[in-house]
Every structure is written in C-alpha cells, then in structure tokens.
Amino acid sequence: MSFHKSDSRTPLAPAEYTKIPTVVTVYDSEKKNGNRNNASMGQPKFIRSDMADVPAQQAAGSTLPLVLTRKKGGDDGEDGLYNPFEHRKVEHPTSDLETFVHLLKGSLGSGILAMPMAFANAGLWFGLLATFAVGTLCTYCVHVLVKCAHILCRRRKIPMMGFADVAEQAFLDGPPALNRWSRFIRFMVNTFLVIDLLGCCCIYLVFVATNVQQVVGVYMDTQLSVRLWIVIVSAPLVFMCLVRNLKFLTPFSMIANILMFVGIVITFIYMFSDLPAPSERAGIVPPAQWPLFFGTVIFALEGIGVVMSLENDMKNPSHFIGCPSVLNFGMGLVIGLYTLVGFFGYLKYGDETQASITLNLPLEDKLAQSVKLMIAIAIFFTFTLQFYVPVSILWKGIEGKIPAARQNVSEYGLRVGLVCLCCGIAVALPNLGPFISLIGAVCLSTLGMIVPAVIELAVYYEEPGFGRFKWRLWKNSGLILFGIVGFVTGTYVSIREFQAEFAGGHGGDAQ
C-alpha cells in the first residue's frame, strides 16, 4: 500500500468567505506587484499571529496548506457541488477487493497471537462479549473519522487528507477556541502514531527473540537470555532498515504473509486438539485484570492509523464506509478471527496462557518448533514495513532543517538510531504482556477513540450541529470518557506489572 500526502498547491477557497481570524497571508510577489492575482499561488507563505515569516508547512510539519476561508454548512450550497473523489489523482487506485485485502493484511498481525492472553484477563464469556463490543466500537470510530474527512474535503475543496490533516483541519473548522490548537492536535496525532508504531516494532523484537530463544534453547546446553537474543535479532535489522524504497521490501512482505498464514493455521490445529469443557475456565475474572484485557484488545484490533491511507488509495472511496462497506466486511472478519483465537486459545491453555499463543506450543514437537520459527521470521520481515511509517513522519519533520549535502547521511543516521532505540527499549522491557497492553492503552485508546470523537465534535460544531437533544455531544463525550478511563487504568496496571516484574528480579531473562 502506498501513502499519499495532500497537494500543498491546492487552490485557496474563494476570498468572499469569512476568514479565520488567527491566520493571515502574505505573498512576496504581491509586495512587488501590488496585485494578489499575480502572486505565485504555488509558494504561499502563511503567517499566524504568533509566527514571524514561518511557512506553515515548516512550523507545523504540515503537508496540508492552512486554508484561509471558513465556510460552514458541510454539503450545502456551492460546497455540495464539489466531489473530492473526482479530483483525486492516484496513480494506481485500488479496487474494493484489493482494499479489503490490504485492510486484513494491516489488521492481522502479531496482535492476533496475544488474544488468548487478553481472554485470560477477562474470562471466557466476558472476553467473548467484550471483544465484540470493543471491536464494534473501534470500527465505529473509524467510520466517524472517515466521514469527517469527507465533510472537510468538501468544505475545503481538498481531494484527500491524512489522519493528522483531518485533525488539524477539524480544529480550524471548529469553535474559535480550538483554532489556536490546530498545530498541537496535528503534532499530537503524529506523535502518538510514531510512539504506537515504534512501540509495535519493540514488541516485534521481543516476540521474535522469545520464540527463537525457545526453539534454539532445545538444542543448546547454554541458555542465552532473551535480552541477548533481542540484540542478536536487532543486528541484521539495522541493515535492512536502511532500505528507503518500499518496492524493494515487497518480496519480504509476501514471504511474511505466507509464513504467518501457515503458522496460524497450524496453531489452530494445536488449539482445537483435546479441548477441555468451557466450564473448566473462568467465565469472568476480577475487574482488576480488565484494563490489561482492554489494552491488549485495543492493540490487536485498532488499525485507525492506516485507514486514511487505504481510503485515499481507493478507486471508489465512497465504498469504504457505509452499509455494506469494505470497512464493515473487513473489520467483521477481523473481529471474528480475533475472537476465535482468543476464545479457543484460552479454553485450551487456561491460566497457563502466555503473552503469545505460540509460546504455549510444545517445545519438543518439531512441527510446533517450525511454527514458532515461521511466525518469528514473518514478524521479523514485518518489522521493516512497520518501521517505514514512523521514519517517514519523523524525517518529514526535520528534513527542511538539514543542509542538502548532509540529508542522506542524516536520514541513514535517523534510521540506525531508531532501530537502536527500539532495541534498547525491548531489552529494558522484555515482557510482552504488559508491553502490549501499555501500547494499546496509551496510544490506541487516544488515536482510536478520543481523537475521532473530538474531531466529530469540531466538524459538527455549527453545521449540521449536534442533533436532537445534542445526541452527538453526549455520544462523543461517552467515547472520550471511555477512552480516558482505558488510557489511565491500562497505563496504571501495565506499569504496575512492569514494577512487579523488576521487583521479582527476573526481568524477562528467565523466559
């Protein structure tokens, strides 16, 4: 899948509309010619009241020009004639089926292997119901984000937007008090995306190292710690992550998909053999463990960071949301698969369930060893693809500040430094369970629930409004509250888990 950014030369909307008071514009050529019509529209300079001659793209890290007009009403009047889908120029647009496949590919990662552990922190029957509920909630929040993106594209006459673009433009479109926070919300979205994706990279390192340690340990007299294996696994990744063109990583992605599919199928065979009765497992566990369940499920199911890229690449973007839609079919299948793995994985292994279901497979069995290695190799290759997005976001923010002669060296240095950072974090926190829950609670509860709810409130602020009895206000307030509770409790419980682990003195070396 490819990632597109909005055209920074998008024409400004008509000047007769009311301007946003916090933004004014100056054109260098206008000073010379005294005529704005002769100004170069390709290189505008936007200046806020608190910025002195700083281009918005540099100041805010924005790929989207700050639009100077404020036309409310969504699809009303002249704006209703603008169809952003007709103005998109995608070199190789994806069909509905291709987008469906990409959605599955982006959602079916290592998170599915953590679902049995999630059920262990919820109970068999409570986990079943709660997974469907959280999955439905995550899918609905994606609907909200994409629908708001469509509204903003029509209002601003912009063909497409990324996640951070939508957040920034929504704040410029919302109540005046939010206008000044538009750069901050963009920065926050990009920051949480980077933390989330780099956190996933750290989890991948721990996952690969732990599975390799188990298999190799069967044939070695001297046991190496999981921390040492993390360093060993990271060494070749330093060189693989120097590849800057995704095209060269495509074969590795294909190999990873095949190995992951085969490994999961064989894992299902082990899970379905000699299943105990459901009555032998706890139907619901004490509420103190639920935050770990919430964080793990959010980590596994939440794919909001990639949905705007998928929607922007579609040949028929209107088919992405709605009923039926690509998103509903894709997420329905994903939720079903994750629930299946979680339910039967916990039913099979009970309290012995580990952070990844592959770690429960019998060590002495050659087939089980092959599964561990296959999935470990698949996740290893997936690391480079996951790594690509945070590097792109970070490099885009600092590229303009580095002299052209040093940009290649600087980008390679950034890539090596980030791999070393991921390695260092993974070595410090080699316990998969709390790590997964922490990333889900901190990043994905924010990006997946809180931010879409705030965006919808800003977009619907004046037109069409919050609806009868202000139901949109109450609904989004509930989503924000739920996200905050998940953020706070999930973070607290995960940190307590880490503290207990370090206090025990094992820190993952005994795994």
Side-chain angles (χ1 to χ4, degrees):
M1 106 190 39
S2 60
F3 296 86
H4 298 275
K5 62 181 181 179
S6 300
D7 189 352
S8 60
R9 296 161 48 137
T10 303
L12 299 177
E16 61 267 21
Y17 298 151
T18 304
K19 293 185 177 181
I20 296 175
T22 55
V23 183
V24 295
T25 181
V26 177
Y27 293 91
D28 293 337
S29 56
E30 183 179 353
K31 294 179 181 179
K32 296 178 182 178
N33 302 328
N35 183 1
R36 176 172 175 169
N37 293 329
N38 295 330
S40 170
M41 297 299 287
Q43 296 182 355
K45 182 178 287 187
F46 298 97
I47 305 176
R48 292 176 180 270
S49 56
D50 58 344
M51 279 190 243
D53 298 321
V54 180
Q57 285 81 354
Q58 180 178 341
S62 177
T63 59
L64 183 71
L66 295 181
V67 182
L68 305 183
T69 63
R70 187 180 201 130
K71 173 72 183 288
K72 297 296 183 182
D75 299 332
D76 295 338
E78 184 180 344
D79 280 349
L81 302 176
Y82 179 82
N83 185 348
F85 307 149
E86 295 176 353
H87 292 78
R88 292 185 179 180
K89 291 179 172 59
V90 181
E91 186 175 354
H92 300 291
T94 56
S95 66
D96 291 0
L97 180 59
E98 289 170 331
T99 304
F100 175 80
V101 172
H102 284 315
L103 182 61
L104 293 182
K105 177 183 173 184
S107 301
L108 292 175
S110 60
I112 192 172
L113 304 173
M115 284 304 299
M117 180 194 66
F119 271 67
N121 288 305
L124 198 62
W125 302 115
F126 178 70
L128 184 67
L129 296 176
T131 300
F132 275 110
V134 173
T136 301
L137 196 60
C138 290
T139 304
Y140 174 74
C141 288
V142 173
H143 272 274
V144 169
L145 176 66
V146 177
K147 186 174 181 181
C148 288
H150 292 172
I151 293 174
L152 291 171
C153 284
R154 288 190 174 94
R155 285 181 184 174
R156 300 308 191 178
K157 295 181 171 58
I158 297 172
M160 64 178 67
M161 296 185 185
F163 192 173
D165 297 330
V166 175
E168 180 183 30
Q169 195 61 57
F171 271 47
L172 289 172
D173 232 38
L178 291 182
N179 296 162
R180 68 182 63 184
W181 297 99
S182 60
R183 285 182 298 154
F184 172 78
I185 191 66
R186 180 185 188 86
F187 172 78
M188 193 190 80
V189 168
N190 278 331
T191 299
F192 275 100
L193 281 174
V194 169
I195 294 174
D196 167 38
L197 295 170
L198 288 181
C200 289
C201 289
C202 298
I203 291 170
Y204 287 176
L205 288 177
V206 177
F207 178 88
V208 174
T210 306
N211 280 273
V212 172
Q213 180 202 36
Q214 276 199 350
V215 175
V216 176
V218 175
Y219 302 98
M220 289 181 62
D221 295 330
T222 304
Q223 296 293 321
L224 301 179
S225 72
V226 69
R227 286 188 166 94
L228 182 56
W229 276 112
I230 290 173
V231 175
I232 294 172
V233 167
S234 300
L237 284 173
V238 171
F239 299 97
M240 291 185 65
C241 288
L242 296 179
V243 178
R244 295 185 292 185
N245 193 331
L246 276 178
K247 179 180 179 181
F248 298 121
L249 298 176
T250 302
F252 296 106
S253 177
M254 185 178 300
I255 294 172
N257 289 337
I258 295 173
L259 291 176
M260 178 66 79
F261 176 77
V262 174
I264 290 178
V265 168
I266 298 175
T267 302
F268 268 111
I269 295 175
Y270 278 99
M271 284 195 306
F272 287 137
S273 63
D274 300 323
L275 281 173
S279 58
E280 297 183 26
R281 303 291 179 237
I284 183 171
V285 302
Q289 295 178 245
W290 293 357
L292 286 175
F293 164 82
F294 173 82
T296 304
V297 173
I298 290 290
F299 171 83
L301 288 173
E302 189 58 80
I304 201 164
V306 300
V307 294
M308 291 310 303
S309 297
L310 292 177
E311 190 269 348
N312 287 339
D313 276 350
M314 287 187 70
K315 182 179 180 180
N316 298 302
S318 58
H319 295 177
F320 189 74
I321 59 174
C323 189
S325 66
V326 173
L327 179 64
N328 286 346
F329 277 118
M331 288 305 298
L333 181 58
V334 167
I335 294 170
L337 287 173
Y338 275 56
T339 305
L340 195 66
V341 173
F343 183 89
F344 286 102
Y346 176 59
L347 180 61
K348 170 71 174 178
Y349 297 108
D351 293 336
E352 302 299 319
T353 301
Q354 297 198 41
S356 170
I357 191 64
T358 57
L359 302 178
N360 283 107
L361 302 183
L363 277 175
E364 67 282 356
D365 195 325
K366 300 288 185 183
L367 183 61
Q369 293 173 11
S370 69
V371 170
K372 295 173 189 283
L373 290 179
M374 279 191 290
I375 296 183
I377 294 172
I379 297 299
F380 178 87
F381 286 152
T382 305
F383 181 99
T384 55
L385 299 173
Q386 192 85 353
F387 186 78
Y388 182 86
V389 179
V391 168
S392 299
I393 294 174
L394 291 174
W395 179 245
K396 191 181 298 181
I398 65 175
E399 183 179 10
K401 304 175 183 178
I402 299 174
R406 299 183 56 84
Q407 286 196 353
N408 279 337
V409 174
S410 300
E411 184 177 358
Y412 285 132
L414 174 65
R415 289 171 175 271
V416 173
L418 287 178
V419 174
C420 293
L421 175 64
C422 291
C423 176
I425 295 174
V427 167
L429 305 172
N431 189 335
L432 272 173
F435 204 163
I436 290 174
S437 179
L438 181 64
I439 294 297
V442 171
C443 298
L444 297 175
S445 62
T446 303
L447 293 177
M449 294 183 184
I450 299 175
V451 173
V454 173
I455 286 175
E456 187 178 43
L457 288 176
V459 170
Y460 283 78
Y461 169 64
E462 287 187 7
E463 292 290 343
F466 294 148
R468 191 175 185 182
F469 304 119
K470 296 186 177 181
W471 68 271
R472 285 192 182 93
L473 175 62
W474 297 111
K475 180 253 306 184
N476 286 307
S477 298
L479 285 175
I480 293 171
L481 180 61
F482 184 74
I484 292 174
V485 170
F487 179 102
V488 174
T489 58
T491 302
Y492 174 77
V493 173
S494 299
I495 292 175
R496 290 293 301 270
E497 288 280 316
F498 282 126
Q499 289 177 339
E501 179 187 353
F502 287 123
H506 48 85
D509 286 343
Q511 293 183 27

